[in-house]
Amino acid sequence: MCVHPRVTNHHAAEIEREASEMPDFCEWTAAERAKLLNVCTFGAKYLSCGQKDLGMSFHAYCSFKHLSEAFELPGQTAKQCQYLETVVPPATAWILLAGQKIYKLCECNQTVYHSLEQWADWERSFDKVAAVEGLQSSVKHNALQAWEEMYKIEGKL
């Protein structure tokens, strides 16, 4: 079944509000970034193997939402680079570890936070990361890996 058992379209505004209440990633330390990556890695592994979602697909959505938000920051600033250095590795983990499952949720288009249109937006966001000047090469490499995996999942590569 594609629909998260606790989420209906009626809850869309509440989900969007919760996702927008995440902290300012520009201020995070390396230790905090590592913790976020560890949590997302666990969530992605659980989502890919688990029999029940337990909200993991919502957490994946949050990671991708924050990746997209980085490109809403004005200009290519140091703040944007700091933001991307925090959000790209976790978003990459979701794709590399649970991309197949997330794509199936998007294909079903029955949850309020997963659709093929959103998948395409996330894919474009990973592609945009490569063009950001001043960004660590490891972060650009993560984004490229995620972008390639998304294309493989879609059967384009």
Side-chain angles (χ1 to χ4, degrees):
M1 184 172 181
C2 296
V3 178
H4 186 285
R6 295 179 290 155
V7 177
T8 64
N9 286 332
H10 174 69
H11 297 100
E14 183 179 331
I15 288 169
E16 190 64 29
R17 181 189 53 75
E18 288 177 18
S20 67
E21 292 177 355
M22 297 301 238
D24 180 4
F25 293 118
C26 298
E27 305 298 322
W28 282 34
T29 65
E32 290 170 318
R33 290 174 180 172
K35 287 178 185 177
L36 177 63
L37 178 57
N38 288 339
V39 167
C40 289
T41 298
F42 170 80
K45 286 183 178 182
Y46 186 86
L47 180 62
S48 69
C49 300
Q51 296 298 313
K52 294 184 179 181
D53 182 326
L54 297 180
M56 295 302 140
S57 61
F58 172 69
H59 295 293
Y61 165 77
C62 290
S63 286
F64 301 130
K65 182 179 186 309
H66 295 302
L67 174 64
S68 299
E69 285 176 349
F71 296 101
E72 295 171 10
L73 297 172
Q76 292 187 2
T77 64
K79 185 174 182 172
Q80 184 183 49
C81 288
Q82 291 170 328
Y83 195 97
L84 287 168
E85 288 165 5
T86 302
V87 301
V88 169
T92 299
W94 282 106
I95 292 298
L96 297 180
L97 299 171
Q100 291 282 346
K101 187 89 165 229
I102 293 167
Y103 186 73
K104 287 179 184 174
L105 289 169
C106 291
E107 269 188 322
C108 292
N109 200 26
Q110 293 179 358
T111 67
V112 295
Y113 45 87
H114 290 93
S115 69
L116 289 176
E117 181 179 318
Q118 287 175 317
W119 177 269
D121 287 343
W122 301 331
E123 197 172 56
R124 282 188 293 276
S125 292
F126 281 117
D127 190 37
K128 287 180 187 177
V129 170
V132 176
E133 291 182 27
L135 191 61
Q136 294 175 4
S137 62
S138 62
V139 175
K140 289 183 179 190
H141 179 72
N142 281 163
L144 178 61
Q145 283 182 300
W147 182 84
E148 287 175 347
E149 183 65 19
M150 292 176 89
Y151 261 61
K152 286 179 190 173
I153 291 168
E154 292 175 275
K156 294 180 180 177
L157 281 182

